[in-house]
Amino acid sequence: MEDTTKTKESRAHEHDVENMVSETSSLAKDDILQLEHTDPILNAKMHLVNNAIDEIGFSRYHWKLFVLNGFGYAVDSLILLIQSIIAKQAALEFSPSYPNGLTIAAYVGMLVGALFWGMTADIMGRKIAFNVSLIICGVFAIVAGAAPNWEVLGLFVCLSAFGGGGNLVLDTAVFLEYLPSYRQWMLTLMAAWWGIGQLIAGFFAWGFLPNFSCQDPSVYPDATPCTRSNNQGWRYVWFSSGSLVLVMSLLRITVIRLKETPKFLVGEGRDAECVETLLFIASKYNRPCSLTLEKMAACGTTDTRASQGKSKWGLGGVWTHIRGLYSTRRIGISTTLIWLSWTLIGLAYPLYNVFLPAYLSSRGAAFGEPSPYITWRNYTLVNFSGIWGPVLAGWMCGTRLGRKYTMVVGALVTMSFFFAYTQVRTATQNVAFTCIINFCLNIYYGTLYAYTPEVLPSAHRGTGNGIAIGWNRIMGILSAVIATVADTGTAVPIYICAALYIFMAGIAAVFPFEPYGRRSS
């Protein structure tokens, strides 16, 4: 039976190789950063590793990574949305002095998590950070459901976000560093899991909040006081979500049994382990792999921190990774533009969610007071629409548009519908435009998520990715503060957001690297 399975996989691999040849025969087969001569020996070894990964091809191991790494993607959106969904009911019970506190707590946790786990992944490797961060997220999400007051709830939300936000940095990096070049478009497709995470959050909320929540006294004057006993719904949402995350984090350990990524090992000068890992995958899935330690040794000896006598745990070690993101002029420009893009989308997306409902209300849009069923039905429709943006983006990235112009199209189309949305006046129009915008926005967002690790040097990928997402989180914190103190009824924020999308499209067009037809380094 096992031999039959292997035979089928071998045939599938041969078909993949044929597709790869036909798809890339007219394209340059260079590595993306091959011409950036920071370390010719490392470039040569990375080229051999890319050849070996392409030779092995796409296997069941990669499908496991796609699903379980993708779930890490989903967790980020799951945690962010759950805290916003349950905030109102938790506030009725705790009467907090700062209602937006949970949003800030979540973004602070994700900011620290992105920086900590991103840098840690470059120092001690992807494997430990990849596994531990999601376990932390699951444990504290469960504990958040038992919070006795608003401050403790905020603490546990922050700690859960610390794990989930850090894991997001690693999901794309780990998947990319095992992925054959002719399937790199799947990195964009993986962003569809973001919408799945939102959908899961909506289903949990739909199941528990309408049936196990106290009533809002401002809407129902005769409502009984809100206590823990009559307001268990938001706690059930946390318990269920945390349990799901914990189970999936354990599946990552037992199903994938992740080995350290080959590209990290090469960057650390651990050539023997790199070859051993690739040969293990090739043997397990009956694939060819001609890479040998002798071929790696023939390239020379890589200049690593160990050979330089520097401690990788000190500030100098961290600074080495930051400096590596500016090792050449083009890499430096690329890094700066990527970080700027993350900063802008981190401000534009929350501002859109914060200001648009109040703006529409001030202009006479009448949506009525929908029932809980209608509320969560609409929520499900919107989140379901978001899943398919990255699916279209994945296809677009595999065409001549490439990554850069897929982002340009996504940003400009989003901006167009964003302007059109200001004319919404009915509940049906509101749902329709929200679904369309969520779909279009995820074309840009999903591609940016994939593009970022693709063009970063492997040795500094975790740090660069972590700082990029960190800037995004800082803007999320800022948007929560703005929502508290600003006038949400004016048109100014709407036009600012639209201008930001135009600016993001312009930045994407001048990115110095285009991964289409090339291989990540």
Side-chain angles (χ1 to χ4, degrees):
M1 185 69 179
E2 187 175 346
D3 291 340
T4 304
T5 303
K6 286 186 175 182
T7 301
K8 289 180 179 178
E9 285 213 359
S10 297
R11 289 172 181 167
H13 172 61
E14 290 172 5
H15 180 67
D16 281 344
V17 171
E18 289 173 4
N19 286 341
M20 176 184 70
V21 172
S22 63
E23 289 172 9
T24 60
S25 57
S26 62
L27 305 173
K29 288 301 294 177
D30 295 333
D31 300 336
I32 294 170
L33 303 181
Q34 185 170 301
L35 299 179
E36 306 303 309
H37 296 297
T38 55
D39 187 339
I41 295 174
L42 182 60
N43 282 341
K45 289 185 177 182
M46 203 65 72
H47 192 75
L48 290 177
V49 170
N50 275 334
N51 288 344
I53 291 173
D54 279 350
E55 187 180 11
I56 293 171
F58 196 84
S59 66
R60 279 185 298 155
Y61 184 75
H62 296 89
W63 278 120
K64 293 175 186 177
L65 285 174
F66 179 78
V67 173
L68 293 174
N69 287 35
F71 184 79
Y73 238 110
V75 166
D76 186 79
S77 61
L78 182 73
I79 297 300
L80 269 180
L81 263 76
I82 283 178
Q83 65 81 21
S84 65
I85 287 170
I86 63 93
K88 181 179 178 181
Q89 285 303 131
L92 290 175
E93 184 177 330
F94 296 136
S95 301
S97 58
Y98 195 80
N100 288 325
L102 289 190
T103 300
I104 293 177
Y107 274 107
V108 167
M110 290 187 165
L111 166 62
V112 177
L115 296 175
F116 176 82
W117 292 111
M119 293 179 181
T120 300
D122 281 341
I123 293 173
M124 69 178 181
R126 319 311 194 209
K127 180 180 177 180
I128 296 176
F130 177 76
N131 289 327
V132 173
S133 56
L134 201 62
I135 293 175
I136 291 174
C137 178
V139 169
F140 283 108
I142 294 172
V143 175
N149 56 53
W150 187 256
E151 291 75 19
V152 172
L153 176 59
L155 173 63
F156 290 142
V157 168
C158 182
L159 291 172
S160 179
F162 169 75
N167 187 261
L168 182 69
V169 176
L170 299 163
D171 292 319
T172 50
V174 169
F175 189 50
L176 175 65
E177 294 188 4
Y178 276 107
L179 198 59
S181 62
Y182 57 95
R183 289 289 185 101
Q184 276 181 206
W185 58 268
M186 290 187 71
L187 204 62
T188 303
L189 176 64
M190 199 164 74
W193 283 92
W194 176 271
I196 293 174
Q198 293 176 318
L199 202 59
I200 293 171
F203 280 136
F204 280 140
W206 195 357
F208 292 120
L209 292 184
N211 302 314
F212 302 98
S213 298
C214 62
Q215 293 181 324
D216 186 351
S218 65
V219 179
Y220 304 97
D222 297 332
T224 57
C226 195
T227 64
R228 179 165 183 162
S229 61
N230 68 359
N231 194 37
Q232 288 285 323
W234 69 267
R235 297 179 186 274
Y236 293 154
V237 171
W238 274 117
F239 291 146
S240 302
S241 302
S243 299
L244 178 62
V245 174
L246 189 59
V247 168
M248 295 300 287
S249 65
L250 295 176
L251 286 177
R252 287 164 73 141
I253 298 173
T254 56
V255 174
I256 295 181
R257 297 180 183 177
L258 184 74
K259 291 179 175 290
E260 192 53 79
T261 65
K263 292 184 178 180
F264 172 79
L265 293 172
V266 170
E268 292 289 297
R270 295 154 62 181
D271 295 351
E273 293 176 62
C274 169
V275 174
E276 180 185 347
T277 297
L278 290 170
L279 290 177
F280 171 80
I281 295 173
S283 174
K284 184 174 181 179
Y285 296 100
N286 194 30
R287 301 298 175 84
C289 182
S290 57
L291 183 66
T292 64
L293 186 57
E294 288 74 22
K295 290 182 180 179
M296 298 286 280
C299 297
T301 303
T302 307
D303 188 22
T304 64
R305 285 186 303 273
S307 64
Q308 296 167 0
K310 295 179 181 178
S311 170
K312 61 182 181 179
W313 293 102
L315 290 176
V318 174
W319 179 246
T320 297
H321 291 296
I322 295 175
R323 194 172 63 239
L325 296 168
Y326 287 86
S327 53
T328 70
R329 183 172 177 272
R330 287 186 76 205
I331 292 176
I333 292 172
S334 175
T335 299
T336 301
L337 292 179
I338 287 171
W339 289 351
L340 180 58
S341 298
W342 277 98
T343 303
L344 295 175
I345 190 67
L347 182 61
Y349 187 56
L351 283 183
Y352 151 72
N353 287 307
V354 166
F355 284 103
L356 201 52
Y359 173 80
L360 294 176
S361 177
S362 71
R363 293 301 185 272
F367 303 137
E369 186 65 40
S371 67
Y373 172 82
I374 296 297
T375 298
W376 296 113
R377 182 207 67 182
N378 293 347
Y379 192 85
T380 301
L381 289 173
V382 171
N383 292 329
F384 183 73
S385 301
I387 295 173
W388 306 103
V391 175
L392 175 60
W395 174 80
M396 292 169 68
C397 286
T399 68
R400 294 284 179 177
L401 281 172
R403 275 62 156 174
K404 291 166 55 173
Y405 290 101
T406 296
M407 283 187 274
V408 171
V409 171
L412 292 179
V413 172
T414 302
M415 180 270 299
S416 301
F417 280 105
F418 190 79
F419 270 130
Y421 197 2
T422 61
Q423 303 306 311
V424 164
R425 294 294 178 268
T426 68
T428 302
Q429 292 173 349
N430 180 47
V431 174
F433 272 85
T434 305
C435 288
I436 293 170
I437 287 179
N438 210 30
F439 173 86
C440 296
L441 178 64
N442 281 346
I443 294 175
Y444 174 86
Y445 223 155
T447 308
L448 181 63
Y449 261 114
Y451 178 87
T452 301
E454 275 190 296
V455 299
L456 293 173
S458 177
H460 318 297
R461 184 168 283 139
T463 300
N465 211 11
I467 293 175
I469 296 176
W471 280 114
N472 182 271
R473 304 314 186 194
I474 290 173
M475 292 298 104
I477 296 169
L478 183 61
S479 70
V481 175
I482 292 173
T484 304
V485 301
D487 180 3
T488 58
T490 71
V492 174
I494 305 299
Y495 293 105
I496 290 176
C497 287
L500 290 175
Y501 284 114
I502 297 172
F503 195 19
M504 285 185 280
I507 292 172
V510 298
F511 278 144
F513 299 113
E514 170 53 68
Y516 173 61
R518 297 191 173 190
R519 309 187 297 191
S520 68
S521 297

